[in-house]
Amino acid sequence: MEPDPGKNQTIYFDNAATSWPKPAGMIEAMNHYSGMIGGSPGRSGHRRSLDAGRIILETREVLAELFGIDDSLRIAFTKNATEALNIALLGILHSGDHVITSSMEHNSVMRPLRFLETQGVQISVVSCSGDGRLDPEDVRAAIRPQTRLLVVTHSSNVTGTIQPIAELGHIVRDHGFLFCVDAAQTAGALPIHVDEMAIDLLAFSGHKSLFGPQGTGGLYIREGIEKHLRPLMMGGTGSRSEFERQPDFMPDKYESGTPNTIGLAGLGAGVRFVLAEGVEAIRRKEEGLTERFLKGLASLKGITVYGPPDAASRTAAVSFNIAGVSPSEASLELDERFGILCRPGLHCAPAAHRTIGTFSRGTIRFGFGYFNNVEEISFALEAIRSLAVGA
Amino acid sequence: MEAPPYAVFLFPSVSHALKAEKILKEQGIVHKLIPVPRHISSDCGVCLRVAVAQQGLVAEALQGLVTWERMVLL
Ligand SMILES: Cc1ncc(COP(=O)(O)O)c(C=O)c1O
């Protein structure tokens, strides 16, 4: 079936920004909380407050199961991956510390680091290859006595390039500093196990491949690290109300203020969907769609594709350019003429675009998701062909 | 004098209390979440009430899975 943009029929290829559609259970869970529960979790002892608390605990528990976390209370909820990364970076790093990162990072990592640089933190940005791969040996070579943290994205939101997280984690653990992973693109899309990958801090978005609503995300903090990790915000937590000092334990230390209970109800349903389908099955489907798209692009004239050539080395975000058409023109045409929704430009990741040689022009990015299908890919390839021929 | 029939487990936060509740539910140990009695603590949270006879069993079930702050006989 071809979409009719005039009837607001679309093909949604912007899952790397936020996923759509969501599983039916997500909306139901949010309706149920809103209509039937509605209490403030952890604040009162009445049944609706407790039921709200139970919903949030359940969401923590299914996330812990997904990421191989022993104690679900090691996860603090945030409004997105950006807030989680800010808590980790601004909380851990102090003047005189050294931090290592890659040249493929999103601005949610680069901007806090550039701020910290003005506060006396030393930064090493390790260069990646032209298709976005980080060589663990280059990270090893960047380690100094003052190195406190390695922060790396699990996969790039520009090229989908998957980094060797477990290998990096074990290098970091051997040297005794901390490892923070930006899993915005991979939580729910690739298997993640915090112990096997030696991850100390895991930041994730709830609204991408975990199928929660916007306004959800979180940070896993390995046991003991909270002692040295300053919270970004302080305030009411429901616990220790008689004290004016912020609680020093997980997760309350990082969860001040009334939480996004309705959003976390939806996130819980999204994660249960991921567990029921299976991350491996989700990955197989997304890899298959990506492979089909990459093969199709390779047969078209006037197209440049960025990132690793094989679908196995990447998640389902594909950046490309059409000769003679700017990314923003192309995305407007794709939307208006074909109903194909994607994202052009720099994708909040200027460092990554410099690495792949597309700064400041940018690229067209298609972000596939579990609910896309092969017919949509074929239709999109035809649309791209007609834009390339017309250029 | 009669022995107090109940013991309460006090937790750092409601999240901890709810996690403990889940564990006891899974193990089929009878329990009830109640507001923390004012004479025990001025905190506004909830605690987990169990039969005194079960307190050892409860402590064993929670050990290593969720931290509690105190156990008090009612
Ligand atoms: C690699 C990467 N890191 C961080 C983020 C920020 O995530 P959020 O929008 O949940 O803050 C995104 C997406 O926007 C991303 O793709």
Side-chain angles (χ1 to χ4, degrees), chain A residues 139-150:
Chain A
V139 170
R140 200 193 293 275
I143 296 171
R144 302 179 192 165
Q146 306 80 8
T147 306
R148 180 99 176 91
L149 184 76
L150 169 67

Side-chain angles (χ1 to χ4, degrees), chain A residues 42-45 50 53-54 57-58 60-61 70-73 238-242 249-252 255, chain B residues 11-16 18-22 25-26 33-35 41-46 65-66 69:
Chain A
R43 267 53 180 179
S44 325
L50 291 176
R54 288 185 185 106
L57 178 72
E58 263 319 303
R60 266 191 241 281
E61 298 261 296
D70 290 334
D71 178 3
S72 66
L73 300 183
S239 53
R240 302 262 163 94
S241 293
E242 70 274 40
F249 52 82
M250 291 293 299
D252 296 37
E255 289 187 352
Chain B
F11 296 90
S13 76
V14 177
S15 304
H16 292 76
L18 291 172
K19 187 168 179 202
E21 176 194 51
K22 188 176 180 204
K25 225 181 254 169
E26 281 164 5
L33 276 181
I34 61 165
S41 161
S42 57
D43 197 0
C44 52
V46 288
L65 295 177
V66 58
E69 298 196 310

Side-chain angles (χ1 to χ4, degrees), chain A residues 96-338:
Chain A
D97 289 340
H98 173 240
V99 54
I100 304 172
T101 192
S102 87
S103 69
M104 287 301 286
E105 300 306 308
H106 191 272
N107 267 345
S108 55
V109 168
M110 290 314 298
R111 287 182 172 169
L113 289 185
R114 291 301 177 203
F115 165 76
L116 284 163
E117 196 172 31
T118 68
Q119 309 294 301
V121 173
Q122 309 276 320
I123 298 176
S124 296
V125 181
V126 176
S127 296
C128 296
S129 63
D131 58 7
R133 289 182 227 234
L134 177 62
D135 184 341
E137 288 315 309
D138 293 342
V139 170
R140 200 193 293 275
I143 296 171
R144 302 179 192 165
Q146 306 80 8
T147 306
R148 180 99 176 91
L149 184 76
L150 169 67
V151 53
V152 166
T153 187
H154 189 175
S155 100
S156 162
N157 64 311
V158 175
T159 57
T161 313
I162 299 169
Q163 305 298 9
I165 291 301
E167 203 178 327
L168 293 166
H170 287 101
I171 291 175
V172 170
R173 197 144 292 179
D174 287 347
H175 284 82
F177 56 97
L178 298 175
F179 186 30
C180 177
V181 174
D182 171 1
Q185 289 295 320
T186 55
L190 289 182
I192 293 178
H193 193 290
V194 293
D195 289 332
E196 286 167 13
M197 294 172 154
I199 295 169
D200 297 305
L201 297 145
L202 181 77
F204 58 90
S205 300
H207 58 96
K208 299 187 199 240
S209 295
L210 294 175
F211 298 114
Q214 291 173 21
T216 60
L219 179 65
Y220 157 76
I221 301 174
R222 192 167 57 76
E223 190 174 357
I225 293 175
E226 77 276 13
K227 293 191 176 62
H228 317 284
L229 186 71
R230 215 175 67 168
L232 270 192
M233 291 205 299
M234 288 162 249
T237 57
S239 53
R240 302 262 163 94
S241 293
E242 70 274 40
F243 297 115
E244 292 185 358
R245 279 178 182 245
Q246 185 75 359
D248 58 359
F249 52 82
M250 291 293 299
D252 296 37
K253 187 171 183 181
Y254 308 100
E255 289 187 352
S256 291
T258 305
N260 177 13
T261 311
I262 186 168
L264 295 173
L267 175 58
V271 176
R272 280 190 288 277
F273 175 82
V274 169
L275 288 170
E277 299 293 302
V279 175
E280 283 76 15
I282 291 172
R283 169 63 183 158
R284 263 197 308 280
K285 170 147 186 208
E286 292 187 354
E287 192 178 323
L289 294 173
T290 306
E291 186 170 10
R292 182 176 280 257
F293 185 63
L294 290 172
K295 280 205 177 118
L297 284 183
S299 71
L300 299 182
K301 287 200 183 64
I303 306 292
T304 311
V305 187
Y306 305 93
D310 57 316
S313 302
R314 52 198 298 165
T315 49
V318 179
S319 265
F320 61 96
N321 267 315
I322 305 172
V325 191
S326 77
S328 52
E329 280 166 356
S331 79
L332 186 64
E333 291 272 301
L334 286 167
D335 182 351
E336 293 195 337
R337 279 175 51 196
F338 303 100

